[in-house]
Amino acid sequence: MKLWGGRFEKNTNKAVDDFNSSISFDSRMYRQDILGSAAHAQMLGKCGVIPEEDSVLIQKTLLEILSDIEKGLVEFEVDAEDIHMNVEKILISRIGDVGKRLHTGRSRNDQVALDIRMYLKDETVEIKKMLKDLESTILEIAENNLDTILPGYTHLQRAQPITLSHHVMAYFHMFKRDIERLNDCFKRM
């Protein structure tokens, strides 16, 4: 049964469930979902909104779930629709009603917004690393081809001779601008 299933007298059609399910693509945010939820649980306990022992139990169990996912011991369920509901379902199955306190003071939309921002920040860091590696490779190619001559092109026609080094450094600077754009995006996230 779905966590929101109490609103209906009958089960929804499988086609509707499949259409509503996003677990096939949002499962990649499991880490961010769990870490964001653990931080939320910590705040709830620290502020006295939920008992401190409940907060600690939720955090501990979430980190165990994270470990189990990374070990390949967890299989996500399409019926639970998304990563947030899958994690919550696993949490409640392990610690019972205490797990339901996790959403105190936080809407699903708040959770999704946080997960997406955390995921995008993590991905931005990874993309920047890859671009920096690519820039290093381009620099190496440029340094090894200072005297390699080839035709330059303008409007798809051959133009003046240039070096391969000069040509590939144009790409280096394009990727450098991309890194600057990612830095700006990161600040806004």
Side-chain angles (χ1 to χ4, degrees):
M1 180 166 171
K2 295 171 186 60
L3 294 174
W4 51 263
R7 298 179 192 144
F8 302 101
E9 292 178 12
K10 296 180 184 178
N11 288 335
T12 52
N13 184 291
K14 183 174 174 4
V16 172
D17 290 342
D18 291 345
F19 180 77
N20 284 330
S21 179
S22 61
I23 191 64
S24 64
F25 53 88
D26 69 14
S27 60
R28 70 184 78 180
M29 293 191 298
Y30 71 88
R31 172 175 273 287
Q32 293 80 12
D33 187 70
I34 290 172
L35 294 178
S37 290
H40 183 73
Q42 182 180 28
M43 177 276 302
L44 291 173
K46 195 172 190 176
C47 293
V49 176
I50 66 173
E52 185 67 30
E53 59 272 10
D54 288 357
S55 170
V56 170
L57 178 60
I58 290 170
Q59 292 173 66
K60 177 182 162 291
T61 307
L62 284 169
L63 295 178
E64 289 168 359
I65 293 168
L66 175 60
S67 176
D68 288 349
I69 291 170
E70 292 182 339
K71 291 176 185 171
L73 302 174
V74 173
E75 192 169 320
F76 297 122
E77 297 178 16
V78 173
D79 287 350
E81 291 186 6
D82 57 28
I83 190 59
H84 326 291
M85 297 292 257
N86 267 274
V87 170
E88 186 175 344
K89 187 175 179 181
I90 296 166
L91 178 67
I92 292 167
S93 76
R94 292 186 183 188
I95 61 174
D97 286 344
V98 171
K100 293 179 182 178
R101 293 186 170 173
L102 178 59
H103 280 288
T104 305
R106 175 174 72 158
S107 72
R108 183 73 62 202
N109 288 342
D110 291 336
Q111 184 178 5
V112 170
L114 175 68
D115 291 357
I116 289 172
R117 288 175 69 184
M118 289 174 65
Y119 177 78
L120 291 174
K121 286 181 104 169
D122 291 345
E123 288 299 301
T124 298
V125 169
E126 288 304 309
I127 291 168
K128 282 173 37 180
K129 285 179 191 173
M130 290 187 282
L131 283 170
K132 292 212 179 260
D133 288 345
L134 179 57
E135 282 182 324
S136 294
T137 301
I138 289 171
L139 280 175
E140 189 177 318
I141 292 169
E143 288 170 357
N144 291 335
N145 288 281
L146 292 171
D147 298 322
T148 305
I149 306 296
L150 67 139
Y153 282 81
T154 183
H155 302 91
L156 303 177
Q157 294 182 355
R158 286 189 178 173
Q160 68 188 41
I162 61 170
T163 63
L164 177 58
S165 178
H166 179 82
H167 180 74
V168 297
M169 285 305 292
Y171 291 94
F172 175 91
H173 288 287
M174 289 180 222
F175 294 128
K176 185 176 179 182
R177 281 192 306 268
D178 290 340
I179 291 171
E180 290 168 2
R181 289 179 182 116
L182 288 169
N183 287 335
D184 288 341
C185 288
F186 191 88
K187 288 179 209 170
R188 287 167 177 73
M189 286 185 253

